[in-house]
Amino acid sequence: MHRFLPALMVLLIVGNLFTILGLTTNLSSGSTRFFLIGGPALTVFAAISIVVIVLKRKR
């Protein structure tokens, strides 16, 4: 499980980047919605996965 940590950290960065792009750029409505829903979803998924992996590894 710990071998997924680098990929999850990249997903965390990409999710934050998508959120920032959705908030700061003037794109079409569909693209903005994609960035504003997909970005936080990726961020939350990656953060929860990282926490679960670290907590399981400590046991």
Side-chain angles (χ1 to χ4, degrees):
M1 290 289 279
H2 67 293
R3 66 179 173 260
F4 295 119
L5 283 175
L8 289 171
M9 289 180 195
V10 170
L11 275 179
L12 193 67
I13 293 168
V14 170
N16 286 328
L17 179 65
F18 279 2
T19 304
I20 291 169
L21 284 173
L23 291 172
T24 59
T25 58
N26 190 14
L27 299 171
S28 66
S29 177
S31 297
T32 302
R33 189 174 300 131
F34 169 75
F35 284 127
L36 288 178
I37 293 173
L42 275 177
T43 303
V44 169
F45 170 74
I48 291 173
S49 298
I50 289 170
V51 168
V52 168
I53 289 172
V54 169
L55 287 177
K56 280 188 175 182
R57 187 159 181 178
K58 282 192 172 188
R59 289 184 194 173

